[in-house]
Amino acid sequence: MRAPKTMWTMVYHVYKKIVPEVHNILAEWRVRAEQIENDELREFALESIDENTFHSEGGGVFALLTDEEKRSDVLWFIVTYQIICDYLDSLCDQSESLDPNDFRSLHEALRQALAPGTLQDVYYEHRAEKEDNGFLSSLVAVCQKKIQTFESFAEAQSAMEELSLHYRNLQVYKHVKKEDREPFLMEWYEETKQQVPDVRNMRWYEFAAGTGSTLGVYTLAAYASKGGLNEEEAHRIKSCYFPYAQGLHILLDYFIDQEEDLADDELNFCTYYRDEDDMVERMSGFKAEAEKRLGEMPDAGFHKLINKGIIAIYLADEKVQTDPEMKRTARRMIRFGGASTVFFYLNSWVFRKVSDKEETPSAAGGKTE
């Protein structure tokens, strides 16, 4: 099956082929999470599954890029890697120590997930709560097992690790003491822009946003699973997603979370824009540059459609729809997305309303978005 590149076929395949299997995989990991004896770690593990279904569903869409016989392995990798991301984010968010060494050790799990043959449980070495009954190690092991079946993983590994390293650095720097966050992030940006020309026209917080997405990793996993990928092509694919498409993804995520982050005294990159006009103009620029680069991808129609769909899905979020000011800003953003974005926006709204009324059993009790 060719990757869908029209709105109707995309929606059909996502709801018919991706979402049900994603829910089944999440359900299997939920059973494993319930076996964790430590109350705190069990709570965080279950939260990473139950409250982030949308993350796994969204990532799972990239499995449509691969062949039918490889799709299950790609979905297992994507959902499992995403659970690691969400689980570690919960552990860092709730950490009292704010120790960067702790955050770095926890995120060693993501490095190992992309490095078959390295399975060393050092994740909890800087914290008292350590006994997760092998939950995190199992997640890492499954990622390693799946990527080893991808014919071109060796060629894609360095590009995937580069994106993963950016993500891990962000998770460390944004969770440290409040007074250290901006200095760390700014210094990191200054160092990186000397090596990565693509980020030189960005502001430091936009670069940070671009590192916080897993879209590039999942795209590379899908193409690696098919075979025939060389290292140069893998890095070209990486550059098509990082930093602009990934940056737009995370800036939208921060846009809808502004009120929550303010209440929780959390870092939110959208608050650094001068005003609404500045934010909308910059995001419009991100969208245009992302679309230009995604047009150079194999299956370009698929990737450009995903980019527009991401805009719609975030802007259709309940947090936006129930806040008049955010909804007004969202309408301005929908306009720069074009007709496809409007379609996905309306479809996402309808799907959410249906999901609110009819709980999906295979979602293992999680919130379906």
Side-chain angles (χ1 to χ4, degrees):
M1 186 197 83
R2 292 184 178 180
K5 54 184 179 181
T6 68
M7 296 176 288
W8 296 107
T9 55
M10 177 74 76
V11 170
Y12 172 79
H13 287 299
V14 168
Y15 292 158
K16 185 75 173 178
K17 299 183 177 181
I18 299 300
V19 170
E21 187 165 355
V22 165
H23 289 179
N24 288 336
I25 296 169
L26 289 171
E28 290 196 37
W29 279 119
R30 193 180 203 285
V31 171
R32 184 62 189 264
E34 288 174 335
Q35 298 170 3
I36 299 175
E37 295 178 8
N38 182 279
D39 292 341
E40 182 175 310
L41 295 182
R42 183 176 64 254
E43 178 184 347
F44 290 142
L46 291 172
E47 177 184 289
S48 69
I49 296 167
D50 292 345
E51 298 185 14
N52 295 285
T53 303
F54 170 51
H55 294 168
S56 292
E57 290 173 346
V61 173
F62 290 93
L64 292 172
L65 290 167
T66 194
D67 302 325
E68 194 85 33
E69 64 270 18
K70 303 286 182 62
R71 185 170 300 144
S72 181
D73 284 337
V74 173
L75 275 174
W76 265 96
F77 167 75
I78 289 173
V79 173
T80 304
Y81 191 91
Q82 188 61 53
I83 291 172
I84 297 176
C85 292
D86 291 328
Y87 176 57
L88 299 183
D89 191 53
S90 292
L91 290 176
C92 292
D93 277 344
Q94 302 300 323
S95 174
E96 295 182 0
S97 70
L98 306 180
D99 179 5
N101 294 318
D102 175 35
F103 304 147
R104 188 73 68 184
S105 291
L106 286 171
H107 282 85
E108 171 67 8
L110 286 178
R111 188 194 71 80
Q112 292 182 14
L114 299 177
T118 60
L119 190 60
Q120 185 178 5
D121 187 351
V122 296
Y123 320 127
Y124 303 103
E125 63 181 349
H126 294 289
R127 54 178 53 218
E129 306 292 342
K130 301 175 184 290
E131 300 303 326
D132 71 355
N133 293 74
F135 177 69
L136 188 49
S137 292
S138 296
L139 291 166
V140 173
V142 166
C143 285
Q144 291 183 353
K145 179 181 177 181
K146 296 305 179 183
I147 58 178
Q148 284 180 291
T149 69
F150 300 166
E151 293 180 30
S152 296
F153 172 68
E155 289 74 20
Q157 186 175 16
S158 65
M160 293 172 75
E161 164 56 20
E162 184 179 330
L163 292 174
S164 176
L165 178 59
H166 285 320
Y167 179 91
R168 300 190 313 258
N169 283 335
L170 175 65
Q171 293 303 307
V172 173
Y173 299 146
K174 80 170 190 174
H175 284 110
V176 296
K177 290 186 296 184
K178 185 176 180 179
E179 61 267 28
D180 290 338
R181 293 172 190 169
E182 286 186 21
F184 277 163
L185 289 166
M186 289 178 179
E187 181 180 359
W188 176 37
Y189 169 65
E190 291 299 325
E191 292 172 353
T192 305
K193 75 178 184 180
Q194 303 306 318
Q195 305 165 342
V196 185
D198 277 347
V199 305
R200 291 175 186 169
N201 293 327
M202 291 184 164
R203 301 170 186 176
W204 67 266
Y205 49 91
E206 293 172 334
F207 158 71
T211 67
S213 172
T214 50
L215 297 182
V217 169
Y218 299 156
T219 302
L220 284 163
Y223 282 119
S225 72
K226 297 172 67 173
L229 189 69
N230 62 45
E231 191 168 346
E232 182 180 350
E233 289 169 334
H235 280 276
R236 183 169 58 83
I237 288 171
K238 175 205 70 184
S239 296
C240 288
Y241 265 93
F242 174 78
Y244 288 99
Q246 291 197 169
L248 180 63
H249 170 210
I250 299 304
L251 287 171
L252 287 167
D253 191 49
Y254 276 105
F255 170 70
I256 70 171
D257 284 343
Q258 288 179 83
E259 189 173 326
E260 288 180 15
D261 290 342
L262 179 63
D264 295 337
D265 199 25
E266 299 256 344
L267 191 71
N268 188 298
F269 297 133
C270 282
T271 62
Y272 289 94
Y273 287 111
R274 291 189 297 273
D275 51 32
E276 179 187 305
D277 289 341
D278 185 38
M279 180 175 66
V280 172
E281 181 182 350
R282 295 291 294 183
M283 285 199 191
S284 177
F286 266 67
K287 182 263 177 185
E289 185 63 30
E291 190 160 284
K292 174 185 172 184
R293 294 181 182 218
L294 294 175
E296 301 170 0
M297 289 275 290
D299 306 298
F302 173 91
H303 296 286
K304 291 168 74 172
L305 206 56
I306 289 292
N307 193 50
K308 293 175 180 178
I310 285 173
I311 298 171
I313 288 168
Y314 274 104
L315 299 183
D317 190 274
E318 185 179 359
K319 300 170 193 173
V320 177
Q321 297 305 307
T322 55
D323 185 311
E325 185 175 343
M326 289 181 70
K327 191 172 183 178
R328 178 176 56 81
T329 306
R331 285 176 181 153
R332 297 180 64 185
M333 295 181 183
I334 290 167
R335 290 192 199 105
F336 67 61
S340 298
T341 297
V342 173
F343 171 85
F344 279 122
Y345 176 80
L346 295 173
N347 180 270
S348 176
W349 185 83
V350 171
F351 182 67
R352 288 170 192 269
K353 289 298 180 184
V354 172
S355 299
D356 287 342
K357 295 178 181 178
E358 300 177 10
E359 182 178 359
T360 306
S362 58
K367 180 179 71 172
T368 304
E369 296 188 68

